[in-house]
Amino acid sequence: MRLENQVALITGGGNGIGRESALLFAAEGAAVLVVDVVDGAGQDTVAAIEEAGGQARFVHADVSKDEDCAGMVEACESAFGKLTVLFNNAGIMDGNDGDSQATSDEVWQRTIDINLKGVFLGCRHGIPALRRAGGGSVINTASFVALMGAATAQIAYTASKGGVLAMTRELATIHARENIRVNALCPGPLRTKLLMDYLDTEEKRQRRLVHIPMGRFGEASEMAQAALFLASSESSYVNGADFVVDGGITGAYVTPE
Ligand code: NAD
């Protein structure tokens, strides 16, 4: 098994990438602390892991709150004795996030607080735990929009993900000699609730699909496979990377007809 003796904390583990990663990491031998603000969803992930014979616990935490992030790391160490894989994955995309004129202060702040400050707080409390365990892997979920501009504006979201990417490189550099690797996962557009709620008409979905060489949205399970590689020792020399998993979007100039 690829994550034997590992303990993973996954934020946003109730849905999408976080849920699929929790299921996969547990199947590969990790004990998993599932963190979410929606208790039912997080508990459901834990139930699915336990049903498959894996080990998991749920903790309610809002990643934008310092005390919640301290609590989730404490809960992980007290339940499983250590933390070796920190997956800062929770994020939101607000339907009212638009261009620089349309986006309200409130939408800007909420998006930055969860998507960017949430990763910072996860690292503030999680990295000391990784250190106590003798090292480990941090995975921060950014996005392909941190690398490319889009005419369909979501300015707060894009800024938050750019911040995650820049912060990841710096964390990777700071902690490299402590046996702690830090990488950013940059997913392309996925068929998860987050994006499908945002692209709420067939016309909006088709407008996005035009730009994807593979002609389809990605699946959360495909991101989980990439996260598994970053979590495991198979990626032992991968550090500070923008790990792009986007169906070829960032490589394309013109897509096939
Ligand atoms: P999702 O909406 O399916 O799942 C996100 C989970 O995070 C939910 O269970 C939600 O309850 C939880 N969450 C939200 N706010 C939280 C908070 N403050 N504290 C703790 N948990 C919270 O979304 P997803 O598509 O799986 O997205 C996961 C990550 O991937 C996000 O960071 C997102 O920005 C990023 N991403 C998604 C896409 C996409 O197309 N779906 C593309 C690129 C990047």
Side-chain angles (χ1 to χ4, degrees):
M1 286 200 278
R2 294 163 72 185
L3 293 180
E4 207 155 8
N5 297 321
Q6 302 300 311
V7 177
L9 186 163
I10 304 179
T11 67
N15 278 292
I17 299 173
R19 177 182 164 90
E20 292 299 324
S21 301
L23 295 173
L24 182 62
F25 287 16
E28 289 292 341
V32 181
L33 192 86
V34 176
V35 173
D36 212 287
V37 275
V38 180
D39 294 4
Q43 283 157 353
D44 194 67
T45 301
V46 169
I49 289 172
E50 286 176 343
E51 211 169 293
Q55 216 188 337
R57 294 274 175 85
F58 171 71
V59 165
H60 175 103
D62 176 344
V63 296
S64 67
K65 294 189 179 147
D66 185 70
E67 63 276 20
D68 284 20
C69 289
M72 72 186 184
V73 173
E74 272 169 35
C76 184
E77 289 189 312
S78 82
F80 302 122
K82 62 180 179 180
L83 171 65
T84 60
V85 176
L86 173 63
F87 192 0
N88 292 307
N89 165 75
I92 58 156
M93 189 183 276
D94 194 301
N96 293 316
D97 190 0
D99 63 19
S100 60
Q101 286 80 67
T103 303
S104 68
D105 286 8
E106 194 235 323
V107 168
W108 171 268
Q109 201 55 53
R110 192 168 105 82
T111 304
I112 297 292
D113 281 351
I114 296 173
N115 292 8
L116 180 56
K117 190 177 172 198
V119 173
F120 161 63
L121 293 176
C123 290
R124 169 184 278 172
H125 296 287
I127 285 178
L130 294 181
R131 220 183 258 134
R132 286 192 283 278
S137 172
V138 181
I139 306 157
N140 297 328
T141 307
S143 169
F144 76 106
V145 301
L147 300 163
M148 307 182 79
T152 43
Q154 33 179 0
I155 205 80
Y157 183 84
T158 299
S160 73
K161 294 303 185 179
V164 169
L165 205 54
M167 185 165 59
T168 297
R169 294 190 190 106
E170 188 145 304
L171 288 161
T173 309
I174 294 169
H175 299 290
R177 300 205 181 178
E178 297 178 301
N179 197 30
I180 295 171
R181 298 180 296 109
V182 190
N183 291 291
L185 177 65
C186 297
L190 307 180
R191 210 169 50 86
T192 64
K193 185 169 166 10
L194 177 131
L195 189 65
M196 294 306 108
D197 283 355
Y198 181 75
L199 304 177
D200 55 0
T201 64
E202 193 48 35
E203 194 191 343
K204 286 186 194 169
R205 290 175 191 180
Q206 289 305 325
R207 170 97 171 80
R208 275 298 161 95
L209 284 172
V210 165
H211 300 284
I212 308 175
M214 291 177 77
R216 65 170 177 88
F217 291 109
E219 300 292 337
S221 58
E222 293 173 307
M223 301 307 117
Q225 292 290 347
L228 172 61
F229 171 69
L230 293 174
S232 78
S233 59
E234 291 154 28
S235 59
S236 54
Y237 202 57
V238 182
N239 190 32
D242 311 345
F243 203 81
V244 181
V245 188
D246 71 347
I249 298 173
T250 48
Y253 172 46
V254 177
T255 57
E257 294 285 314

